[in-house]
């Protein structure tokens, strides 16, 4: 492939959960990259070139030489499969299916309630507004379903999908980081000992510390 050796580029903002996932995976693989800032919530809207890179107006977008890509799970799998470094997807079909299941759960059932309903409402409510307590309560209820399901899948394993860290762990870390910041999120996470232990381990990992600060 002619793009071998080309530097990877991430387009997005360092505050974004999904940009953070990609940055963690790049760091875990030891891949050098450039972060080109794109503020998806800018008053003036997204720059036209970002719409070209991501027709749905989200971040991150990614480029590796002539190859452009959007959607975080596609990006992280591409990074894992295209660059040297530790393998971040289990080879065994059942473990790989579990990893994919957990990533899909996080996207479909965790990100909205844990980040938008609990974290953002509690910690950064819209300017001039008080936290929407009904929305937070609903988010917490949905988060409990996620944590219960995840805890049932993980049991006593140190990592979410397999015996070694996988893309599922790095997908979850930025979501859990925001969820556990307000006291209501932290208190709920503490009720799930295996997930709490996992969070203590992953939140100290250098790739995660670097992306979350
Ligand atoms: N399905 C997308 C989701 C990306 C996403 O939602 N990114 C957020 C930032 S964390 C975003 O761009 N939000 C802007 C918006 O909702 O308008 C992916 O997996 O990359």
């Amino acid at each position: 492939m002619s793009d071998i050796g080309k530097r990877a580029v991430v387009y997005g903002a360092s505050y974004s959960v999904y940009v953070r996932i990609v940055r963690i995976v790049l760091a875990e693989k030891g891949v050098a990259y450039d972060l080109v800032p794109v503020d998806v919530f800018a008053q003036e809207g997204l720059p036209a070139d970002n719409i070209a890179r991501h027709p749905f107006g989200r971040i991150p977008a990614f480029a590796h030489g002539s190859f452009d890509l959007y959607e975080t799970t596609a990006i992280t799998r591409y990074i894992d499969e295209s660059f040297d470094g530790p393998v971040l997807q289990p080879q065994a079909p059942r473990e790989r299916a579990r990893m994919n299941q957990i990533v899909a759960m996080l996207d479909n059932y965790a990100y909205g309630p844990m980040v938008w309903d609990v974290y953002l409402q509690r910690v950064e409510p819209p300017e001039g507004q008080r936290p929407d307590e009904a929305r937070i309560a609903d988010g917490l209820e949905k988060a409990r379903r996620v944590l219960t399901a995840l805890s049932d899948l993980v049991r006593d394993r140190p990592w979410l999908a397999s015996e070694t860290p996988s893309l599922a762990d790095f997908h979850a870390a930025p979501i859990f980081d925001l969820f556990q910041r307000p006291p209501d999120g932290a208190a709920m996470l503490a009720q799930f000992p295996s997930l709490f232990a996992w969070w203590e381990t992953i939140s100290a990992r250098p790739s995660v510390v670097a992306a979350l600060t």
Side-chain angles (χ1 to χ4, degrees):
M1 190 197 349
S2 60
D3 288 329
I4 287 175
K6 291 274 172 62
R7 201 168 160 94
V9 184
V10 179
Y11 299 88
S14 58
Y15 60 71
S16 151
V17 161
Y18 284 98
V19 171
R20 288 174 172 180
I21 293 167
V22 170
R23 298 184 80 189
I24 292 170
V25 169
L26 285 162
E28 287 286 332
K29 296 292 281 189
V31 177
Y33 65 96
D34 295 314
L35 178 68
V36 175
V38 177
D39 183 2
V40 79
F41 299 116
Q43 292 283 333
E44 62 277 15
L46 273 171
D49 58 343
N50 204 71
I51 298 290
R53 266 188 298 271
H54 197 313
F56 302 97
R58 302 284 177 102
I59 51 173
F62 177 83
H64 182 213
S66 60
F67 183 59
D68 297 323
L69 195 59
Y70 56 87
E71 286 303 304
T72 299
T73 52
I75 297 168
T76 53
R77 286 168 202 181
Y78 173 80
I79 293 166
D80 187 40
E81 289 159 14
S82 304
F83 293 93
D84 292 338
V87 174
L88 302 179
Q89 297 176 88
Q91 299 304 304
R94 291 184 181 189
E95 287 190 345
R96 186 173 284 227
R98 196 64 82 204
M99 178 196 77
N100 291 333
Q101 178 188 19
I102 290 171
V103 168
M105 281 168 58
L106 291 163
D107 283 343
N108 291 306
Y109 312 121
Y111 173 67
M114 293 171 78
V115 174
W116 283 86
D117 298 342
V118 177
Y119 170 75
L120 283 169
Q121 276 300 319
R122 178 65 76 217
V123 179
E124 299 179 42
E127 208 175 329
Q129 292 179 30
R130 296 187 58 75
D132 180 341
E133 294 296 339
R135 185 169 171 185
I136 293 171
D138 185 56
L140 285 167
E141 196 181 308
K142 289 176 175 150
R144 184 179 292 284
R145 286 170 76 173
V146 171
L147 298 184
T148 303
L150 207 46
S151 175
D152 287 347
L153 293 175
V154 172
R155 301 207 188 92
D156 296 329
R157 253 196 324 268
W159 303 102
L160 297 184
S162 53
E163 293 303 320
T164 54
S166 76
L167 297 181
D169 299 284
F170 305 127
H171 212 91
I175 297 173
F176 274 68
D177 169 52
L178 295 181
F179 178 69
Q180 59 81 50
R181 288 191 196 191
D184 1 27
M188 185 176 288
L189 181 57
Q191 293 168 22
F192 294 85
S194 59
L195 296 179
F196 184 76
W198 166 84
W199 170 246
E200 296 253 279
T201 305
I202 198 155
S203 59
R205 220 170 154 88
S207 64
V208 173
V209 172
L212 300 187
T213 46

